[in-house]
Amino acid sequence: MVQTLFIIAMVSIVVVMLVAIPTLSISIPAGIANTLISICKLSAYLLPVKLLMPLILFSFTFHTFRFVWSVFLRVKSFIPMGGN
């Protein structure tokens, strides 16, 4: 009973704080946006994407594996009989 009231109070405080956050609107001038798009198009034209894609995928896979492995080891360390 007391826990439920405490949880409801905490959730209502968080909801009130989230509602009070003002909206953020960012506008980029058209000239800057067009320049950034043209730079991206130029880099896509100059870089051999077909040759670099296996390297990019390997790097992404390696870093994803490292992240998942570190999360696994961290969770495993919190299990009492899980080891180091």
Side-chain angles (χ1 to χ4, degrees), residues 44-71:
Y45 177 75
L46 294 176
L47 290 175
V49 176
K50 289 183 180 179
L51 295 175
L52 292 178
M53 192 55 69
L55 182 63
I56 293 169
L57 289 176
F58 175 75
S59 175
F60 178 74
T61 306
F62 178 71
H63 288 292
T64 304
F65 174 76
R66 283 184 57 198
F67 175 74
V68 170
W69 184 252
S70 65
V71 169

Side-chain angles (χ1 to χ4, degrees), residues 2 16 18 22-23 29 31-32 42 46 51-52 57 59 61 64 70 72-73 79 83:
V2 175
V16 167
L18 288 176
T23 58
I32 295 175
L42 176 68
L46 294 176
L51 295 175
L52 292 178
L57 289 176
S59 175
T61 306
T64 304
S70 65
F72 170 74
L73 290 178
I79 298 174

